[in-house]
Amino acid sequence: MAPKWRELADRFAEQIRSGEYEPGAQLPQIRDLVKAGEGSKDTVHKAYKALEAQGLVTSSRGHGTVVRQQTPLKRLGIARYDKAKWRDGDEVAFIADRVASGRPYRRNEQTQNVSRVVAPPLVAEAHGLPEGAEVYARARLVKEGTQPTHTLTSYYRPEHVEGTRIVDPSPGPAGRGGGFRVLYDAGYEIDHMKEEIFARVPSEEEAQLLQLSPGEWVVELHRTTYTADGTVVEFAIGVHAATRFAWAYDFKVPDSANTEGESK
Amino acid sequence: MAPKWRELADRFAEQIRSGEYEPGAQLPQIRDLVKAGEGSKDTVHKAYKALEAQGLVTSSRGHGTVVRQQTPLKRLGIARYDKAKWRDGDEVAFIADRVASGRPYRRNEQTQNVSRVVAPPLVAEAHGLPEGAEVYARARLVKEGTQPTHTLTSYYRPEHVEGTRIVDPSPGPAGRGGGFRVLYDAGYEIDHMKEEIFARVPSEEEAQLLQLSPGEWVVELHRTTYTADGTVVEFAIGVHAATRFAWAYDFKVPDSANTEGESK
DNA sequence: TAGTGGTCTAGACCACTTC
DNA sequence: AAGTGGTCTAGACCACTAA
């Protein structure tokens, strides 16, 4: 038999999905459900935690447990890297993407922090650098309004970006044009990419930064960006709140017996 | 301050990752930790559940809590669809992939179930069919040895597969060549694909089928397969244990101002 | 100060496995 | 029967919010 807390959670989940509880509506308070005979405080609490883990509600002390706004998944396709968006204009690729997706542009949705650090093993490997080599790390926390959605940290080789706007230590939003534009101006035009994605449990720090409910997972994205001659000019690690994103990729079915027309 | 159960969980997680507890080793029993003053039974239990949710341990009644074998992420790249694998030989694409990845081939790692059903909304949309249209559904549960790793359900239009091996109701492993080969033989050579992926909480049924620990998430994959003229010949939905997979995609940076050489 | 969720406890009892 | 994890309870106490 399903545990009592699970049955209770499923009942509420059903009611939320059916619209019986609208976004913003408040669920009964734990103590009231206890009085109503739904179980002990701990049992009801467990049910509420399950709903929270599914991203259906948000709980906070003092306030209560309210149904969360169900923002549709943000779909990330490779069109967000379109050269026309950052090469010909002065928009940062991610902002252009937001415009293209019909969302308004808001200032200060990105905080940035640039530093020179010893490359973590994964980064060194991606750049083909020896252990202990230094790279520039550009860490951003991206928000949708007030809600943080993901972190994105780009790693660059010093010889590619030294003296450019990328390493400008001034805080605040990214300089005009974004990282790809800066690389382009420095003579490194990006050509192809590799993205690798997987899901995992967030660290406590990440959960706090992204305002994740306990039990929510994150999706980690590794992006390697190459110039036409195969030089790696950027390696980036993104950590996304798993409930808020979907990724889409279009590709030709490969045919290793007939490799014309394919670069790899 | 971090809760007590979290501190306890983090301590064990650290010990497991550092190798102090090897795979297969048993963690102290809950009652012993209670005696040792680590907290009440419920508190220690909560810590163990957290470890389980991270995929680090497996608990079972009667046995105990043992450190799980850390199978490395299985990386899924588009090379697994290589035409050479299924067109020229008689191997099913997924088996070829396993061979290519150095894993031995084992029989009966896939159970299959074919039926004719009314297309679910998502499927109808992908195939461009009206509501209520019927399709063939081919559902598989794929295992790695005894461990189920993912489910994969392919949906085909009846006019594409009627009379082929795909709709052969005989149970057991897939016919020789797999679905793409059957479509190829029927005159539908696959050409390009779209994959869309996102993470979510599993249903209770999925958790059971994939033997997921409570708190583990799944990644859902939507794959649409097209012929050269844009006809959709297969739409598939996969549900993967999130901790066991990573996806990789290579692509050219798009340039909408210069669309030569791109089919989309 | 009152009201909300969050943690913790001690102990009862249940479910499953092994002997 | 004995030993393991899993659920549930009643109540104490804590942390945070609002008035």
Side-chain angles (χ1 to χ4, degrees):
Chain A
M1 193 185 82
K4 202 167 174 178
W5 64 264
R6 171 115 220 192
E7 284 184 358
L8 186 58
D10 286 349
R11 234 165 59 220
F12 278 115
E14 184 48 39
Q15 291 181 318
I16 290 170
R17 275 190 254 266
S18 77
E20 225 164 306
Y21 282 101
E22 305 207 335
Q26 193 161 56
L27 259 53
Q29 287 156 12
I30 292 182
R31 284 166 174 82
D32 288 348
L33 289 175
V34 171
K35 272 187 228 147
E38 294 289 359
S40 71
K41 190 178 175 188
D42 232 53
T43 302
V44 175
H45 181 236
K46 240 184 241 177
Y48 274 23
K49 291 296 261 194
L51 294 172
E52 215 181 342
Q54 289 169 64
L56 290 173
V57 304
T58 318
S59 298
S60 53
R61 291 191 255 233
H63 292 137
T65 302
V66 298
V67 177
R68 207 175 180 182
Q69 187 67 272
Q70 291 305 316
T71 51
L73 291 187
K74 178 163 182 178
R75 291 191 153 66
L76 301 180
I78 66 172
R80 69 188 187 280
Y81 300 123
D82 195 335
K83 290 184 183 181
K85 290 186 177 166
W86 51 264
R87 183 191 50 202
D88 307 326
D90 65 355
E91 288 185 299
V92 182
F94 84 97
I95 291 177
D97 178 53
R98 191 160 300 151
V99 170
S101 65
R103 291 187 170 84
Y105 165 59
R106 301 194 195 87
R107 288 213 165 269
N108 286 326
E109 289 199 321
Q110 182 176 241
T111 58
Q112 171 168 226
N113 191 299
V114 178
S115 59
R116 188 173 173 134
V117 297
V118 170
L122 207 61
V123 175
E125 190 191 339
H127 273 291
L129 291 169
E131 200 182 333
E134 291 199 336
V135 291
Y136 276 102
R138 180 167 155 250
R140 292 90 98 196
L141 173 63
V142 181
K143 297 182 183 174
E144 186 90 26
T146 60
Q147 170 85 140
T149 61
H150 64 285
T151 64
L152 186 59
T153 305
S154 294
Y155 296 91
Y156 304 96
R157 299 180 67 143
E159 63 265 38
H160 292 157
V161 297
E162 202 74 76
T164 67
R165 289 199 305 278
I166 283 181
V167 298
D168 180 346
S170 74
R176 301 174 76 184
F180 296 147
R181 177 57 190 258
V182 171
L183 287 169
Y184 178 71
D185 289 341
Y188 300 99
E189 177 168 7
I190 64 172
D191 178 75
H192 56 281
M193 297 177 155
K194 176 168 115 181
E195 290 195 347
E196 201 165 348
I197 63 186
F198 60 92
R200 62 168 174 81
V201 173
S203 69
E204 199 162 359
E205 190 191 350
E206 288 166 337
Q208 202 168 353
L209 204 59
L210 297 176
Q211 296 177 11
L212 300 175
S213 308
E216 267 192 86
W217 281 38
V218 292
V219 173
E220 185 167 328
L221 167 76
H222 294 176
R223 176 177 82 204
T224 315
T225 308
Y226 305 83
T227 58
D229 66 6
T231 305
V232 174
V233 287
E234 186 214 31
F235 176 72
I237 298 178
V239 179
H240 301 69
T243 53
R244 305 201 260 266
F245 291 90
W247 285 262
Y249 297 92
D250 293 276
F251 55 91
K252 296 263 299 184
V253 175
D255 187 354
S256 61
N258 178 13
T259 52
E260 51 74 38
E262 295 291 336
S263 56
K264 322 196 43 107
Chain B
M1 192 186 81
K4 203 166 171 179
W5 63 265
R6 173 115 217 190
E7 284 184 358
L8 186 58
D10 286 348
R11 234 166 57 218
F12 278 115
E14 185 47 40
Q15 291 181 316
I16 290 169
R17 274 191 255 270
S18 75
E20 225 162 307
Y21 282 100
E22 305 209 334
Q26 192 160 51
L27 259 54
Q29 286 155 12
I30 293 183
R31 286 167 174 81
D32 289 348
L33 289 175
V34 172
K35 271 186 229 148
E38 294 290 358
S40 71
K41 191 177 174 185
D42 233 53
T43 302
V44 174
H45 181 234
K46 239 184 245 176
Y48 273 23
K49 291 295 260 193
L51 295 172
E52 215 180 342
Q54 290 169 61
L56 290 174
V57 303
T58 320
S59 297
S60 53
R61 290 190 253 231
H63 292 139
T65 302
V66 297
V67 177
R68 203 164 158 180
Q69 187 65 279
Q70 292 304 318
T71 51
L73 292 187
K74 180 165 179 176
R75 291 189 152 67
L76 300 180
I78 66 173
R80 69 187 186 280
Y81 299 123
D82 194 335
K83 290 183 182 180
K85 291 186 177 166
W86 50 265
R87 185 190 52 201
D88 307 325
D90 65 354
E91 289 186 298
V92 182
F94 83 95
I95 291 177
D97 178 53
R98 193 160 301 153
V99 170
S101 64
R103 290 186 172 86
Y105 165 58
R106 302 196 195 86
R107 288 213 164 270
N108 285 324
E109 290 199 320
Q110 182 175 236
T111 58
Q112 174 168 225
N113 191 297
V114 178
S115 58
R116 188 172 171 132
V117 297
V118 169
L122 208 60
V123 175
E125 191 192 339
H127 273 290
L129 291 169
E131 201 181 333
E134 292 198 335
V135 291
Y136 277 102
R138 177 166 157 252
R140 291 91 97 197
L141 173 63
V142 182
K143 297 181 184 176
E144 185 90 29
T146 60
Q147 171 85 141
T149 61
H150 64 286
T151 64
L152 185 58
T153 305
S154 294
Y155 297 91
Y156 305 96
R157 299 180 68 141
E159 63 266 36
H160 291 157
V161 296
E162 202 76 74
T164 67
R165 291 199 304 276
I166 283 180
V167 298
D168 179 347
S170 73
R176 301 175 73 184
F180 296 148
R181 177 57 190 259
V182 170
L183 287 168
Y184 179 70
D185 289 342
Y188 300 100
E189 177 169 7
I190 65 172
D191 178 74
H192 57 281
M193 297 177 154
K194 177 169 117 182
E195 289 194 347
E196 202 164 348
I197 63 186
F198 58 94
R200 62 169 173 80
V201 172
S203 70
E204 199 163 358
E205 190 192 348
E206 290 166 337
Q208 202 167 353
L209 204 60
L210 298 176
Q211 296 177 12
L212 300 174
S213 307
E216 268 193 85
W217 281 38
V218 292
V219 172
E220 185 168 327
L221 166 76
H222 294 175
R223 175 177 81 204
T224 315
T225 308
Y226 306 82
T227 58
D229 67 4
T231 306
V232 174
V233 286
E234 187 214 34
F235 176 71
I237 298 179
V239 179
H240 300 70
T243 53
R244 305 202 260 267
F245 292 90
W247 284 262
Y249 298 92
D250 292 276
F251 55 91
K252 296 263 300 182
V253 176
D255 188 354
S256 62
N258 178 14
T259 53
E260 49 73 38
E262 296 290 336
S263 57
K264 320 195 45 109

